Amino acid sequence: MQVLAVASEIYPLVKTGGLADVVGALPPALDALGITTATLVPGYPAVSDKLDGARVVATYPNLFGTAARLLEAEARGLRLLVLDAPQFYARTGNPYVAPDGSDWPDNAIRFAALAAVARHVGNGAVPGFAPAIVHAHDWQAGLTPAYLHYQDGARPGTVMTVHNLAFQGRFPASLLPALGLPSHAFSVEGIEYYGGIGYLKAGLRLADRITTVSPSYAAEICTADGGMGLDGLLRSRAGILEGILNGIDEKVWDPAADPLLPAAFDAGRVQERRADKAALQARLGLAVEPQTLLFGVISRLTWQKGLDLLLDVLPSLLGAGAQLALLGSGDAALERSFAVAAARHRGRVGCVIGYDEALAHLIQAGADAILVPSRFEPCGLTQLCALRYGALPVVARVGGLADSVIDANEMALADGLGTGLQFAPVTREALAAAIERAAALWRVPKRWQQVQRNAMRTDVSWRRPAARYAALYRQVLDARA
Ligand code: ADP
């Protein structure tokens, strides 16, 4: 089977979030199941600069007012179709945001162009590539199912995946004539969204199947609380909505062969983590104390991630005798508050403001537990890495966090089960209680080590998710046969 994926990000070329990880990791995992994927991406400089052997497979003299070419190429082992439209994509930095911090004013057209070319490729424009399925990711690809839906004649099956419902691609209705869709597309049954045009909404309304990145998030987005204005539509399509948990790249995140760590380890050599913990404590200016429970955080510092709650309960964490190592960037006020906390509690709280992959690996390997107090979390990758690295995830019971961590409660512990701790609701009281539970578990090393072993044995690879996507593609085809 051949599949066309359509996305604005793909790891390791261009990434602002978990979307890129999925789009980069799924094709090789599907390949092992006999499914060949080509991914259509915009020709950002970060992409165009890395292409091997690009060749032109289509030209567009006038694509929404500009000349463009479609290139077929390989990059980092991925089969890519790159939409080379310099007027739209030859911009460095964040793909969506101008240097002044506002969205690029032509985002609607930039991503309509991506979807229009996706239709062209979906209909067989690239020689030797006849996709049975077109798989659109997030709002930037959201118009793809619409273009295919409103065309005459046969079309491939369509899947729309939402990685974070908070980003919806909403634009004014006045855009309609420029999109080249029939006027009747502007309806509740089509692309209309609260009087404007919704790119994600269009995809969610018109795709054959919808997926999101965890079963719990799939349920949450059907509620008024989690649906961000789309819950009514999603409830009406709940029968074709499925949550498939993400995996992580086991080569990038492999504690037994991680070049970024002072000491390698695995489930059978977990004592080697001690050297990583000491290195982490030293790096963040923490007292180098092997017996002290060390919590780690690696996160964007935003409201979603709930780290304001962690600031509030810092006295409880310190009162339990624990330390905190935090790496993050985002809201200026949160950045400042954590820096102030580190200065005030020298040796007990360490923080690095910024984005640092190497330090992220060291925190996963050196911290005893990783805190993830998100208010909502479609899937979450940090806790998956934490499982693999034997840092017990202490997570809010929401979205993919709820689906990937098994709470080590009394009964679980009695049966030798549990891979971390969960808490709910997402309040400072519940977070403080979870930190206290972690501290209590830490005081019983045998139990802690059992949970740690369980965590490290969890299958967080892409094998199972890829099999789910493969089954889904087949269901789409069967339903259309
Ligand atoms: P989101 O995509 O909402 O930011 P995820 O948990 O799905 O959250 O994925 C974020 C990924 O980026 C994780 O692997 C996390 O460890 C990593 N990450 C987040 N912040 C930083 C940072 N400041 N430095 C390095 N890695 C980070």
Side-chain angles (χ1 to χ4, degrees), residues 76-395:
R76 309 288 178 99
L78 296 160
R79 182 174 178 193
L80 299 182
L81 293 164
V82 177
L83 181 52
D84 177 36
Q87 187 177 318
F88 293 151
Y89 308 126
R91 304 172 194 180
T92 50
N94 183 293
Y96 319 116
V97 180
D100 71 359
S102 59
D103 288 353
W104 287 112
D106 57 349
N107 273 351
I109 292 299
R110 297 170 78 211
F111 295 107
L114 184 71
V117 171
R119 168 180 53 186
H120 193 215
V121 178
N123 289 329
V126 175
F129 184 57
I133 298 285
V134 176
H135 187 164
H137 293 270
D138 271 355
W139 74 265
Q140 299 89 347
L143 280 189
T144 307
Y147 280 118
L148 287 163
H149 175 85
Y150 289 110
Q151 74 179 19
D152 294 330
R155 65 165 177 85
T158 52
V159 176
M160 181 79 226
T161 293
V162 49
H163 297 265
N164 189 337
L165 201 66
F167 305 109
Q168 301 188 348
R170 290 179 69 167
F171 301 102
S174 56
L175 181 67
L176 185 67
L179 293 181
L181 284 162
S183 55
H184 67 265
F186 188 73
S187 78
V188 179
E189 299 303 314
I191 67 170
E192 187 273 343
Y193 187 45
Y194 292 106
I197 293 171
Y199 281 22
L200 180 63
K201 185 266 174 169
L204 296 175
R205 182 68 199 82
L206 298 168
D208 295 323
R209 293 291 183 113
I210 302 169
T211 79
T212 187
V213 288
S214 70
S216 288
Y217 193 58
E220 289 165 13
I221 61 179
C222 290
T223 67
D225 272 353
M228 298 191 170
L230 286 161
D231 47 296
L233 164 60
L234 288 163
R235 273 196 302 280
S236 75
R237 307 209 76 202
I240 56 119
L241 164 65
E242 184 176 352
I244 303 177
L245 213 52
N246 292 335
I248 55 172
D249 186 328
E250 288 182 307
K251 291 201 188 86
V252 175
W253 293 100
D254 179 4
D258 186 333
L260 299 169
L261 300 185
F265 63 94
D266 55 31
R269 289 177 296 151
V270 84
Q271 66 284 359
E272 305 293 327
R273 287 180 104 256
R274 267 188 235 146
D276 296 316
K277 180 171 178 176
L280 173 60
Q281 287 172 319
R283 165 86 196 269
L284 288 203
L286 299 167
V288 180
E289 299 170 352
Q291 305 309 328
T292 296
L293 171 57
L294 172 55
F295 287 101
V297 171
I298 307 153
S299 185
R300 290 189 287 119
L301 301 178
T302 64
W303 182 86
Q304 176 193 339
K305 301 293 180 178
L307 291 165
D308 49 314
L309 303 175
L310 178 59
L311 274 173
D312 292 343
V313 306
L314 216 43
S316 318
L317 185 149
L318 297 169
Q323 294 176 332
L324 175 67
L326 177 135
L327 167 64
S329 63
D331 292 350
L334 281 172
E335 289 184 352
R336 256 194 319 276
S337 301
F338 277 108
V340 167
R344 189 172 298 155
H345 304 287
R346 256 178 225 294
R348 314 311 299 172
V349 175
C351 98
V352 171
I353 301 300
Y355 191 93
D356 185 336
E357 299 248 346
L359 182 56
H361 282 242
L362 184 61
I363 294 178
Q364 293 285 8
D368 300 301
I370 295 286
L371 289 168
V372 194
S374 305
R375 291 188 165 91
F376 72 94
E377 195 62 79
C379 176
L381 298 175
T382 320
Q383 85 283 8
L384 300 180
C385 301
L387 288 168
R388 186 142 163 81
Y389 276 57
L392 299 199
V394 177
V395 303

